[in-house]
Amino acid sequence: MNAHLGRATAVVAVSAITLTLTACGGAEDADGRPGSGKGHAIKVGLLLPENQTARYEKFDKPLIEKEVAALTRGKGEVVYANAKQDAATQNSQVDTMITNKVDVLIIDAVDAKAIAGAVKRAKDAGIPVVAYDRLAEGPIDAYTSFDNEDVGKVQGKALLDALGDKAKDGQIVMMNGSVTDPNAKLFKSGAHFVLDGKVNIGKEYDTVEWKPENANTNMAAALSALGKSKIVGVYSANDGMAGGIITALKAAGLSTLPPVTGQDAELAGVQRIVAGEQFMTVYKPYAPEAAAAAEMAVALAQGEKIDGVINQMVDSPTTKGVPSVLIPGVALTKANVKSTVVDDGVYTVDEICTDKYRAACEEIGLK
């Protein structure tokens, strides 16, 4: 992958994307149609990978639908399917989209390698493909995601900050994501960049399908192998797995939980942070990611250029120089719950501070 933008630069780039989207959504041609004159009705195929992680149904899908509608003045239709973590199902869904003659595809791949053949079939049928959130293989036309190596670095730095002087006193467990997800490799690489040489990694796992129950099983094995008193911290690549890890830590009888990282700012993860069970998560603002995907998809469907949207070029294993938009993530801890997910409208205080968490919320001034 080409060198990433610095975080400050990336934030500026995200702001520029927002401005571009506003301009694109508001511009009309001589016939009163959106965009540069090709505002005909279009059909956008949206394929998301699974529904265990809350983000896809709660955020990504409705955000993309909203952006497509805005960019096309309501002339764009989003045809949606969820693969429920099955790569073969997703390949079939691509074929169905081709049969239904969608104008463009947005694909968040279950398995980046397994989707390559389906991407080629779409391309052969004249359907452009935008890889969303995960860098799919095959002849993709564009890609948008978060700066995934930086996400791993953010997680690693937060864990080091939480450990302080304990970093060398014990061992940490690393719970990485699934090997079928190219993002997992980047999170892992970024975390290792920060952690290697500064902590002792007692056990490390690549967790099958990102499933919380698999993370729970792995954590139980790590506790048995290392001893619960020796584990000073846990790197968890996302919030779902953090939940499984924390369940295993509690089951082992730990009275004080070691710091556990996460990612995605899922409601359950934010609530665990408020309660002091999980140390942090990486908040990834889905709106700019969805907006970038929608703008690129609409432009490609209408035969327009996307040069004004992208902020860098990325190499996949099969395609060099993919036009891309990469967006930075933010470390979310107790200290900034309000200024991140609450102020951005992701969750209300009432959603976070249910009866179970009300006292903890009041303790950190979240009310």
Side-chain angles (χ1 to χ4, degrees), residues 152 155-156 159 171-177 187-193 195-196 199-207 218-219 222 226 231 233-237 241 245:
Q155 292 170 318
L159 184 57
Q171 301 182 78
I172 72 162
V173 174
M174 288 193 71
M175 202 71 65
N176 305 308
F187 303 144
K188 181 178 177 178
S189 173
H192 272 289
F193 181 86
L195 295 172
D196 286 355
V199 295
N200 300 310
I201 301 171
K203 286 288 183 181
E204 183 169 6
Y205 302 89
D206 294 320
T207 310
N218 292 341
M219 192 67 220
L226 302 176
I231 297 173
V234 183
Y235 167 83
S236 172
M241 295 195 306
I245 289 163

PDB file of all heavy atoms in Angstrom, residues 152 155-156 159 171-177 187-193 195-196 199-207 218-219 222 226 231 233-237 241 245:
ATOM      1  N   GLY A 152      -4.876   0.483  13.773  1.00  0.00           N
ATOM      2  CA  GLY A 152      -4.078  -0.400  14.627  1.00  0.00           C
ATOM      3  C   GLY A 152      -3.106   0.369  15.497  1.00  0.00           C
ATOM      4  O   GLY A 152      -2.883   0.026  16.666  1.00  0.00           O
ATOM      5  N   GLN A 155      -5.019   1.951  18.355  1.00  0.00           N
ATOM      6  CA  GLN A 155      -5.315   0.938  19.370  1.00  0.00           C
ATOM      7  C   GLN A 155      -4.075   0.610  20.201  1.00  0.00           C
ATOM      8  O   GLN A 155      -4.133   0.533  21.432  1.00  0.00           O
ATOM      9  CB  GLN A 155      -5.835  -0.335  18.695  1.00  0.00           C
ATOM     10  CG  GLN A 155      -7.192  -0.202  18.050  1.00  0.00           C
ATOM     11  CD  GLN A 155      -7.552  -1.407  17.202  1.00  0.00           C
ATOM     12  OE1 GLN A 155      -6.711  -1.923  16.474  1.00  0.00           O
ATOM     13  NE2 GLN A 155      -8.788  -1.846  17.293  1.00  0.00           N
ATOM     14  N   GLY A 156      -2.948   0.401  19.504  1.00  0.00           N
ATOM     15  CA  GLY A 156      -1.711   0.053  20.197  1.00  0.00           C
ATOM     16  C   GLY A 156      -1.253   1.146  21.143  1.00  0.00           C
ATOM     17  O   GLY A 156      -0.846   0.880  22.281  1.00  0.00           O
ATOM     18  N   LEU A 159      -3.418   1.279  24.236  1.00  0.00           N
ATOM     19  CA  LEU A 159      -3.101   0.193  25.165  1.00  0.00           C
ATOM     20  C   LEU A 159      -1.826   0.500  25.942  1.00  0.00           C
ATOM     21  O   LEU A 159      -1.767   0.295  27.165  1.00  0.00           O
ATOM     22  CB  LEU A 159      -2.963  -1.129  24.414  1.00  0.00           C
ATOM     23  CG  LEU A 159      -2.721  -2.377  25.272  1.00  0.00           C
ATOM     24  CD1 LEU A 159      -3.823  -2.551  26.303  1.00  0.00           C
ATOM     25  CD2 LEU A 159      -2.616  -3.622  24.399  1.00  0.00           C
ATOM     26  N   GLN A 171       2.294  -9.824  30.549  1.00  0.00           N
ATOM     27  CA  GLN A 171       2.145 -10.167  29.140  1.00  0.00           C
ATOM     28  C   GLN A 171       0.792  -9.693  28.623  1.00  0.00           C
ATOM     29  O   GLN A 171      -0.169  -9.607  29.379  1.00  0.00           O
ATOM     30  CB  GLN A 171       2.261 -11.689  28.963  1.00  0.00           C
ATOM     31  CG  GLN A 171       3.590 -12.251  29.462  1.00  0.00           C
ATOM     32  CD  GLN A 171       3.689 -13.740  29.219  1.00  0.00           C
ATOM     33  OE1 GLN A 171       3.958 -14.182  28.107  1.00  0.00           O
ATOM     34  NE2 GLN A 171       3.468 -14.528  30.267  1.00  0.00           N
ATOM     35  N   ILE A 172       0.752  -9.390  27.347  1.00  0.00           N
ATOM     36  CA  ILE A 172      -0.527  -9.049  26.741  1.00  0.00           C
ATOM     37  C   ILE A 172      -0.957 -10.174  25.799  1.00  0.00           C
ATOM     38  O   ILE A 172      -0.134 -10.982  25.357  1.00  0.00           O
ATOM     39  CB  ILE A 172      -0.488  -7.710  25.976  1.00  0.00           C
ATOM     40  CG1 ILE A 172       0.309  -7.839  24.670  1.00  0.00           C
ATOM     41  CG2 ILE A 172       0.030  -6.587  26.851  1.00  0.00           C
ATOM     42  CD1 ILE A 172       0.033  -6.730  23.675  1.00  0.00           C
ATOM     43  N   VAL A 173      -2.242 -10.207  25.529  1.00  0.00           N
ATOM     44  CA  VAL A 173      -2.797 -11.129  24.540  1.00  0.00           C
ATOM     45  C   VAL A 173      -3.264 -10.292  23.357  1.00  0.00           C
ATOM     46  O   VAL A 173      -3.903  -9.244  23.541  1.00  0.00           O
ATOM     47  CB  VAL A 173      -3.979 -11.923  25.131  1.00  0.00           C
ATOM     48  CG1 VAL A 173      -4.640 -12.781  24.050  1.00  0.00           C
ATOM     49  CG2 VAL A 173      -3.514 -12.781  26.301  1.00  0.00           C
ATOM     50  N   MET A 174      -2.939 -10.726  22.148  1.00  0.00           N
ATOM     51  CA  MET A 174      -3.398 -10.036  20.942  1.00  0.00           C
ATOM     52  C   MET A 174      -4.480 -10.864  20.266  1.00  0.00           C
ATOM     53  O   MET A 174      -4.249 -12.016  19.901  1.00  0.00           O
ATOM     54  CB  MET A 174      -2.244  -9.777  19.978  1.00  0.00           C
ATOM     55  CG  MET A 174      -1.288  -8.695  20.452  1.00  0.00           C
ATOM     56  SD  MET A 174      -0.142  -8.135  19.152  1.00  0.00           S
ATOM     57  CE  MET A 174      -1.254  -7.215  18.072  1.00  0.00           C
ATOM     58  N   MET A 175      -5.657 -10.263  20.126  1.00  0.00           N
ATOM     59  CA  MET A 175      -6.793 -10.919  19.485  1.00  0.00           C
ATOM     60  C   MET A 175      -7.067 -10.177  18.172  1.00  0.00           C
ATOM     61  O   MET A 175      -7.788  -9.178  18.131  1.00  0.00           O
ATOM     62  CB  MET A 175      -8.021 -10.878  20.383  1.00  0.00           C
ATOM     63  CG  MET A 175      -9.044 -11.940  20.071  1.00  0.00           C
ATOM     64  SD  MET A 175      -8.490 -13.612  20.553  1.00  0.00           S
ATOM     65  CE  MET A 175      -8.388 -13.440  22.353  1.00  0.00           C
ATOM     66  N   ASN A 176      -6.436 -10.663  17.095  1.00  0.00           N
ATOM     67  CA  ASN A 176      -6.587 -10.041  15.790  1.00  0.00           C
ATOM     68  C   ASN A 176      -7.867 -10.526  15.114  1.00  0.00           C
ATOM     69  O   ASN A 176      -8.498 -11.487  15.548  1.00  0.00           O
ATOM     70  CB  ASN A 176      -5.379 -10.367  14.911  1.00  0.00           C
ATOM     71  CG  ASN A 176      -4.074  -9.967  15.575  1.00  0.00           C
ATOM     72  OD1 ASN A 176      -3.918  -8.840  16.020  1.00  0.00           O
ATOM     73  ND2 ASN A 176      -3.155 -10.908  15.675  1.00  0.00           N
ATOM     74  N   GLY A 177      -8.211  -9.885  13.996  1.00  0.00           N
ATOM     75  CA  GLY A 177      -9.402 -10.265  13.254  1.00  0.00           C
ATOM     76  C   GLY A 177      -9.159 -11.438  12.327  1.00  0.00           C
ATOM     77  O   GLY A 177      -8.122 -12.108  12.375  1.00  0.00           O
ATOM     78  N   PHE A 187      -4.790  -3.719  10.547  1.00  0.00           N
ATOM     79  CA  PHE A 187      -4.928  -3.398  11.978  1.00  0.00           C
ATOM     80  C   PHE A 187      -3.778  -4.035  12.763  1.00  0.00           C
ATOM     81  O   PHE A 187      -3.147  -3.404  13.610  1.00  0.00           O
ATOM     82  CB  PHE A 187      -6.259  -3.918  12.541  1.00  0.00           C
ATOM     83  CG  PHE A 187      -7.492  -3.416  11.852  1.00  0.00           C
ATOM     84  CD1 PHE A 187      -8.596  -4.251  11.703  1.00  0.00           C
ATOM     85  CD2 PHE A 187      -7.585  -2.128  11.368  1.00  0.00           C
ATOM     86  CE1 PHE A 187      -9.747  -3.813  11.077  1.00  0.00           C
ATOM     87  CE2 PHE A 187      -8.735  -1.673  10.734  1.00  0.00           C
ATOM     88  CZ  PHE A 187      -9.815  -2.521  10.593  1.00  0.00           C
ATOM     89  N   LYS A 188      -3.544  -5.306  12.450  1.00  0.00           N
ATOM     90  CA  LYS A 188      -2.495  -6.082  13.129  1.00  0.00           C
ATOM     91  C   LYS A 188      -1.123  -5.459  12.901  1.00  0.00           C
ATOM     92  O   LYS A 188      -0.328  -5.306  13.842  1.00  0.00           O
ATOM     93  CB  LYS A 188      -2.542  -7.514  12.592  1.00  0.00           C
ATOM     94  CG  LYS A 188      -1.553  -8.493  13.183  1.00  0.00           C
ATOM     95  CD  LYS A 188      -1.810  -9.865  12.533  1.00  0.00           C
ATOM     96  CE  LYS A 188      -0.837 -10.923  12.988  1.00  0.00           C
ATOM     97  NZ  LYS A 188      -1.149 -12.242  12.374  1.00  0.00           N
ATOM     98  N   SER A 189      -0.849  -5.071  11.666  1.00  0.00           N
ATOM     99  CA  SER A 189       0.442  -4.463  11.329  1.00  0.00           C
ATOM    100  C   SER A 189       0.636  -3.155  12.083  1.00  0.00           C
ATOM    101  O   SER A 189       1.708  -2.897  12.641  1.00  0.00           O
ATOM    102  CB  SER A 189       0.514  -4.216   9.818  1.00  0.00           C
ATOM    103  OG  SER A 189       1.673  -3.492   9.472  1.00  0.00           O
ATOM    104  N   GLY A 190      -0.411  -2.322  12.112  1.00  0.00           N
ATOM    105  CA  GLY A 190      -0.310  -1.049  12.820  1.00  0.00           C
ATOM    106  C   GLY A 190      -0.102  -1.233  14.308  1.00  0.00           C
ATOM    107  O   GLY A 190       0.699  -0.532  14.934  1.00  0.00           O
ATOM    108  N   ALA A 191      -0.828  -2.199  14.890  1.00  0.00           N
ATOM    109  CA  ALA A 191      -0.685  -2.466  16.325  1.00  0.00           C
ATOM    110  C   ALA A 191       0.715  -2.969  16.645  1.00  0.00           C
ATOM    111  O   ALA A 191       1.342  -2.523  17.623  1.00  0.00           O
ATOM    112  CB  ALA A 191      -1.738  -3.480  16.775  1.00  0.00           C
ATOM    113  N   HIS A 192       1.204  -3.893  15.835  1.00  0.00           N
ATOM    114  CA  HIS A 192       2.565  -4.403  16.062  1.00  0.00           C
ATOM    115  C   HIS A 192       3.610  -3.297  15.927  1.00  0.00           C
ATOM    116  O   HIS A 192       4.607  -3.282  16.659  1.00  0.00           O
ATOM    117  CB  HIS A 192       2.882  -5.539  15.092  1.00  0.00           C
ATOM    118  CG  HIS A 192       2.475  -6.890  15.585  1.00  0.00           C
ATOM    119  ND1 HIS A 192       3.127  -7.532  16.620  1.00  0.00           N
ATOM    120  CD2 HIS A 192       1.471  -7.722  15.200  1.00  0.00           C
ATOM    121  CE1 HIS A 192       2.568  -8.707  16.847  1.00  0.00           C
ATOM    122  NE2 HIS A 192       1.549  -8.846  16.000  1.00  0.00           N
ATOM    123  N   PHE A 193       3.403  -2.372  15.007  1.00  0.00           N
ATOM    124  CA  PHE A 193       4.336  -1.257  14.822  1.00  0.00           C
ATOM    125  C   PHE A 193       4.529  -0.495  16.124  1.00  0.00           C
ATOM    126  O   PHE A 193       5.635  -0.074  16.466  1.00  0.00           O
ATOM    127  CB  PHE A 193       3.809  -0.326  13.730  1.00  0.00           C
ATOM    128  CG  PHE A 193       4.699   0.854  13.440  1.00  0.00           C
ATOM    129  CD1 PHE A 193       5.747   0.737  12.546  1.00  0.00           C
ATOM    130  CD2 PHE A 193       4.489   2.072  14.073  1.00  0.00           C
ATOM    131  CE1 PHE A 193       6.583   1.816  12.284  1.00  0.00           C
ATOM    132  CE2 PHE A 193       5.310   3.162  13.824  1.00  0.00           C
ATOM    133  CZ  PHE A 193       6.367   3.036  12.924  1.00  0.00           C
ATOM    134  N   LEU A 195       3.455  -1.688  19.335  1.00  0.00           N
ATOM    135  CA  LEU A 195       3.635  -2.522  20.526  1.00  0.00           C
ATOM    136  C   LEU A 195       4.944  -3.302  20.557  1.00  0.00           C
ATOM    137  O   LEU A 195       5.493  -3.556  21.644  1.00  0.00           O
ATOM    138  CB  LEU A 195       2.468  -3.518  20.634  1.00  0.00           C
ATOM    139  CG  LEU A 195       1.081  -2.917  20.871  1.00  0.00           C
ATOM    140  CD1 LEU A 195       0.009  -3.996  20.751  1.00  0.00           C
ATOM    141  CD2 LEU A 195       1.007  -2.229  22.230  1.00  0.00           C
ATOM    142  N   ASP A 196       5.446  -3.710  19.399  1.00  0.00           N
ATOM    143  CA  ASP A 196       6.642  -4.561  19.367  1.00  0.00           C
ATOM    144  C   ASP A 196       7.821  -3.888  20.063  1.00  0.00           C
ATOM    145  O   ASP A 196       8.133  -2.721  19.816  1.00  0.00           O
ATOM    146  CB  ASP A 196       7.022  -4.905  17.925  1.00  0.00           C
ATOM    147  CG  ASP A 196       6.084  -5.927  17.298  1.00  0.00           C
ATOM    148  OD1 ASP A 196       5.198  -6.429  18.011  1.00  0.00           O
ATOM    149  OD2 ASP A 196       6.232  -6.207  16.093  1.00  0.00           O
ATOM    150  N   VAL A 199       6.098  -4.271  24.766  1.00  0.00           N
ATOM    151  CA  VAL A 199       5.310  -5.175  25.598  1.00  0.00           C
ATOM    152  C   VAL A 199       5.731  -6.604  25.304  1.00  0.00           C
ATOM    153  O   VAL A 199       6.347  -6.895  24.278  1.00  0.00           O
ATOM    154  CB  VAL A 199       3.786  -5.032  25.324  1.00  0.00           C
ATOM    155  CG1 VAL A 199       3.276  -3.666  25.717  1.00  0.00           C
ATOM    156  CG2 VAL A 199       3.483  -5.332  23.864  1.00  0.00           C
ATOM    157  N   ASN A 200       5.391  -7.492  26.206  1.00  0.00           N
ATOM    158  CA  ASN A 200       5.600  -8.922  25.982  1.00  0.00           C
ATOM    159  C   ASN A 200       4.291  -9.536  25.495  1.00  0.00           C
ATOM    160  O   ASN A 200       3.287  -9.489  26.204  1.00  0.00           O
ATOM    161  CB  ASN A 200       6.034  -9.614  27.282  1.00  0.00           C
ATOM    162  CG  ASN A 200       7.333  -9.049  27.821  1.00  0.00           C
ATOM    163  OD1 ASN A 200       8.311  -8.932  27.088  1.00  0.00           O
ATOM    164  ND2 ASN A 200       7.344  -8.666  29.095  1.00  0.00           N
ATOM    165  N   ILE A 201       4.297 -10.060  24.281  1.00  0.00           N
ATOM    166  CA  ILE A 201       3.086 -10.663  23.713  1.00  0.00           C
ATOM    167  C   ILE A 201       3.090 -12.154  24.056  1.00  0.00           C
ATOM    168  O   ILE A 201       3.848 -12.925  23.483  1.00  0.00           O
ATOM    169  CB  ILE A 201       3.013 -10.445  22.199  1.00  0.00           C
ATOM    170  CG1 ILE A 201       3.028  -8.933  21.887  1.00  0.00           C
ATOM    171  CG2 ILE A 201       1.752 -11.100  21.624  1.00  0.00           C
ATOM    172  CD1 ILE A 201       3.180  -8.606  20.418  1.00  0.00           C
ATOM    173  N   GLY A 202       2.249 -12.503  25.028  1.00  0.00           N
ATOM    174  CA  GLY A 202       2.236 -13.889  25.508  1.00  0.00           C
ATOM    175  C   GLY A 202       1.523 -14.831  24.568  1.00  0.00           C
ATOM    176  O   GLY A 202       1.983 -15.953  24.318  1.00  0.00           O
ATOM    177  N   LYS A 203       0.396 -14.387  24.013  1.00  0.00           N
ATOM    178  CA  LYS A 203      -0.386 -15.190  23.073  1.00  0.00           C
ATOM    179  C   LYS A 203      -0.979 -14.258  22.016  1.00  0.00           C
ATOM    180  O   LYS A 203      -1.360 -13.126  22.318  1.00  0.00           O
ATOM    181  CB  LYS A 203      -1.529 -15.944  23.781  1.00  0.00           C
ATOM    182  CG  LYS A 203      -1.082 -17.129  24.618  1.00  0.00           C
ATOM    183  CD  LYS A 203      -0.633 -18.299  23.738  1.00  0.00           C
ATOM    184  CE  LYS A 203      -0.243 -19.508  24.565  1.00  0.00           C
ATOM    185  NZ  LYS A 203       0.218 -20.636  23.734  1.00  0.00           N
ATOM    186  N   GLU A 204      -1.072 -14.784  20.794  1.00  0.00           N
ATOM    187  CA  GLU A 204      -1.654 -14.002  19.707  1.00  0.00           C
ATOM    188  C   GLU A 204      -2.520 -14.916  18.842  1.00  0.00           C
ATOM    189  O   GLU A 204      -2.125 -16.038  18.527  1.00  0.00           O
ATOM    190  CB  GLU A 204      -0.559 -13.350  18.866  1.00  0.00           C
ATOM    191  CG  GLU A 204      -1.090 -12.465  17.752  1.00  0.00           C
ATOM    192  CD  GLU A 204      -0.013 -11.612  17.101  1.00  0.00           C
ATOM    193  OE1 GLU A 204       1.181 -11.788  17.448  1.00  0.00           O
ATOM    194  OE2 GLU A 204      -0.367 -10.769  16.264  1.00  0.00           O
ATOM    195  N   TYR A 205      -3.703 -14.401  18.482  1.00  0.00           N
ATOM    196  CA  TYR A 205      -4.660 -15.211  17.725  1.00  0.00           C
ATOM    197  C   TYR A 205      -5.188 -14.423  16.534  1.00  0.00           C
ATOM    198  O   TYR A 205      -5.406 -13.212  16.621  1.00  0.00           O
ATOM    199  CB  TYR A 205      -5.854 -15.602  18.612  1.00  0.00           C
ATOM    200  CG  TYR A 205      -5.497 -16.369  19.851  1.00  0.00           C
ATOM    201  CD1 TYR A 205      -5.189 -15.702  21.038  1.00  0.00           C
ATOM    202  CD2 TYR A 205      -5.460 -17.764  19.853  1.00  0.00           C
ATOM    203  CE1 TYR A 205      -4.863 -16.395  22.191  1.00  0.00           C
ATOM    204  CE2 TYR A 205      -5.140 -18.470  21.010  1.00  0.00           C
ATOM    205  CZ  TYR A 205      -4.837 -17.780  22.173  1.00  0.00           C
ATOM    206  OH  TYR A 205      -4.510 -18.468  23.323  1.00  0.00           O
ATOM    207  N   ASP A 206      -5.420 -15.130  15.427  1.00  0.00           N
ATOM    208  CA  ASP A 206      -6.218 -14.612  14.318  1.00  0.00           C
ATOM    209  C   ASP A 206      -7.590 -15.249  14.465  1.00  0.00           C
ATOM    210  O   ASP A 206      -7.740 -16.471  14.337  1.00  0.00           O
ATOM    211  CB  ASP A 206      -5.581 -14.985  12.973  1.00  0.00           C
ATOM    212  CG  ASP A 206      -4.244 -14.298  12.761  1.00  0.00           C
ATOM    213  OD1 ASP A 206      -4.129 -13.114  13.119  1.00  0.00           O
ATOM    214  OD2 ASP A 206      -3.312 -14.956  12.253  1.00  0.00           O
ATOM    215  N   THR A 207      -8.586 -14.445  14.756  1.00  0.00           N
ATOM    216  CA  THR A 207      -9.887 -14.953  15.195  1.00  0.00           C
ATOM    217  C   THR A 207     -10.801 -15.261  14.015  1.00  0.00           C
ATOM    218  O   THR A 207     -11.118 -14.376  13.215  1.00  0.00           O
ATOM    219  CB  THR A 207     -10.567 -13.924  16.127  1.00  0.00           C
ATOM    220  OG1 THR A 207      -9.631 -13.537  17.142  1.00  0.00           O
ATOM    221  CG2 THR A 207     -11.808 -14.514  16.766  1.00  0.00           C
ATOM    222  N   ASN A 218     -10.622 -18.298  22.511  1.00  0.00           N
ATOM    223  CA  ASN A 218      -9.183 -17.989  22.459  1.00  0.00           C
ATOM    224  C   ASN A 218      -8.698 -17.384  23.762  1.00  0.00           C
ATOM    225  O   ASN A 218      -7.611 -17.721  24.258  1.00  0.00           O
ATOM    226  CB  ASN A 218      -8.894 -17.019  21.312  1.00  0.00           C
ATOM    227  CG  ASN A 218      -9.091 -17.632  19.944  1.00  0.00           C
ATOM    228  OD1 ASN A 218      -9.113 -18.853  19.798  1.00  0.00           O
ATOM    229  ND2 ASN A 218      -9.241 -16.797  18.927  1.00  0.00           N
ATOM    230  N   MET A 219      -9.504 -16.481  24.334  1.00  0.00           N
ATOM    231  CA  MET A 219      -9.092 -15.812  25.569  1.00  0.00           C
ATOM    232  C   MET A 219      -9.041 -16.801  26.726  1.00  0.00           C
ATOM    233  O   MET A 219      -8.131 -16.752  27.565  1.00  0.00           O
ATOM    234  CB  MET A 219     -10.050 -14.664  25.890  1.00  0.00           C
ATOM    235  CG  MET A 219      -9.538 -13.745  26.990  1.00  0.00           C
ATOM    236  SD  MET A 219      -8.067 -12.818  26.470  1.00  0.00           S
ATOM    237  CE  MET A 219      -7.091 -12.878  27.986  1.00  0.00           C
ATOM    238  N   ALA A 222      -5.853 -18.592  26.417  1.00  0.00           N
ATOM    239  CA  ALA A 222      -4.726 -17.750  26.818  1.00  0.00           C
ATOM    240  C   ALA A 222      -4.628 -17.656  28.340  1.00  0.00           C
ATOM    241  O   ALA A 222      -3.521 -17.705  28.909  1.00  0.00           O
ATOM    242  CB  ALA A 222      -4.866 -16.359  26.209  1.00  0.00           C
ATOM    243  N   LEU A 226      -1.270 -18.842  30.157  1.00  0.00           N
ATOM    244  CA  LEU A 226      -0.400 -17.810  30.740  1.00  0.00           C
ATOM    245  C   LEU A 226      -0.630 -17.595  32.227  1.00  0.00           C
ATOM    246  O   LEU A 226       0.284 -17.162  32.937  1.00  0.00           O
ATOM    247  CB  LEU A 226      -0.609 -16.474  30.005  1.00  0.00           C
ATOM    248  CG  LEU A 226      -0.353 -16.471  28.497  1.00  0.00           C
ATOM    249  CD1 LEU A 226      -0.706 -15.107  27.910  1.00  0.00           C
ATOM    250  CD2 LEU A 226       1.096 -16.821  28.195  1.00  0.00           C
ATOM    251  N   ILE A 231      -1.519 -11.621  32.848  1.00  0.00           N
ATOM    252  CA  ILE A 231      -2.039 -10.857  31.701  1.00  0.00           C
ATOM    253  C   ILE A 231      -2.355  -9.433  32.149  1.00  0.00           C
ATOM    254  O   ILE A 231      -3.238  -9.201  32.977  1.00  0.00           O
ATOM    255  CB  ILE A 231      -3.294 -11.542  31.118  1.00  0.00           C
ATOM    256  CG1 ILE A 231      -2.921 -12.931  30.591  1.00  0.00           C
ATOM    257  CG2 ILE A 231      -3.901 -10.682  30.012  1.00  0.00           C
ATOM    258  CD1 ILE A 231      -4.115 -13.757  30.141  1.00  0.00           C
ATOM    259  N   GLY A 233      -2.864  -6.800  29.822  1.00  0.00           N
ATOM    260  CA  GLY A 233      -3.658  -6.080  28.837  1.00  0.00           C
ATOM    261  C   GLY A 233      -4.042  -6.982  27.679  1.00  0.00           C
ATOM    262  O   GLY A 233      -3.418  -8.021  27.459  1.00  0.00           O
ATOM    263  N   VAL A 234      -5.084  -6.577  26.956  1.00  0.00           N
ATOM    264  CA  VAL A 234      -5.537  -7.345  25.804  1.00  0.00           C
ATOM    265  C   VAL A 234      -5.759  -6.406  24.627  1.00  0.00           C
ATOM    266  O   VAL A 234      -6.529  -5.435  24.734  1.00  0.00           O
ATOM    267  CB  VAL A 234      -6.838  -8.117  26.086  1.00  0.00           C
ATOM    268  CG1 VAL A 234      -7.219  -8.965  24.879  1.00  0.00           C
ATOM    269  CG2 VAL A 234      -6.698  -8.992  27.335  1.00  0.00           C
ATOM    270  N   TYR A 235      -5.077  -6.692  23.523  1.00  0.00           N
ATOM    271  CA  TYR A 235      -5.370  -6.007  22.267  1.00  0.00           C
ATOM    272  C   TYR A 235      -6.490  -6.766  21.579  1.00  0.00           C
ATOM    273  O   TYR A 235      -6.322  -7.921  21.184  1.00  0.00           O
ATOM    274  CB  TYR A 235      -4.136  -5.957  21.357  1.00  0.00           C
ATOM    275  CG  TYR A 235      -4.483  -5.530  19.937  1.00  0.00           C
ATOM    276  CD1 TYR A 235      -4.605  -4.182  19.634  1.00  0.00           C
ATOM    277  CD2 TYR A 235      -4.748  -6.465  18.944  1.00  0.00           C
ATOM    278  CE1 TYR A 235      -4.970  -3.783  18.353  1.00  0.00           C
ATOM    279  CE2 TYR A 235      -5.119  -6.077  17.669  1.00  0.00           C
ATOM    280  CZ  TYR A 235      -5.223  -4.734  17.376  1.00  0.00           C
ATOM    281  OH  TYR A 235      -5.596  -4.340  16.116  1.00  0.00           O
ATOM    282  N   SER A 236      -7.642  -6.133  21.465  1.00  0.00           N
ATOM    283  CA  SER A 236      -8.758  -6.709  20.706  1.00  0.00           C
ATOM    284  C   SER A 236      -8.994  -5.828  19.500  1.00  0.00           C
ATOM    285  O   SER A 236      -9.119  -4.601  19.621  1.00  0.00           O
ATOM    286  CB  SER A 236     -10.027  -6.772  21.556  1.00  0.00           C
ATOM    287  OG  SER A 236     -11.138  -7.165  20.761  1.00  0.00           O
ATOM    288  N   ALA A 237      -9.093  -6.443  18.312  1.00  0.00           N
ATOM    289  CA  ALA A 237      -9.195  -5.667  17.083  1.00  0.00           C
ATOM    290  C   ALA A 237     -10.560  -5.009  16.906  1.00  0.00           C
ATOM    291  O   ALA A 237     -10.668  -4.036  16.175  1.00  0.00           O
ATOM    292  CB  ALA A 237      -8.870  -6.539  15.872  1.00  0.00           C
ATOM    293  N   MET A 241     -15.410  -8.714  19.514  1.00  0.00           N
ATOM    294  CA  MET A 241     -14.477  -9.647  20.150  1.00  0.00           C
ATOM    295  C   MET A 241     -14.144  -9.192  21.563  1.00  0.00           C
ATOM    296  O   MET A 241     -13.959 -10.030  22.459  1.00  0.00           O
ATOM    297  CB  MET A 241     -13.210  -9.767  19.304  1.00  0.00           C
ATOM    298  CG  MET A 241     -13.446 -10.390  17.945  1.00  0.00           C
ATOM    299  SD  MET A 241     -11.935 -10.933  17.120  1.00  0.00           S
ATOM    300  CE  MET A 241     -10.932  -9.457  17.153  1.00  0.00           C
ATOM    301  N   ILE A 245     -14.037 -11.426  24.941  1.00  0.00           N
ATOM    302  CA  ILE A 245     -12.828 -11.442  25.773  1.00  0.00           C
ATOM    303  C   ILE A 245     -13.162 -11.082  27.215  1.00  0.00           C
ATOM    304  O   ILE A 245     -12.720 -11.750  28.170  1.00  0.00           O
ATOM    305  CB  ILE A 245     -11.790 -10.457  25.196  1.00  0.00           C
ATOM    306  CG1 ILE A 245     -11.214 -11.008  23.892  1.00  0.00           C
ATOM    307  CG2 ILE A 245     -10.673 -10.159  26.203  1.00  0.00           C
ATOM    308  CD1 ILE A 245     -10.516  -9.961  23.035  1.00  0.00           C
TER     309      ILE A 245
END
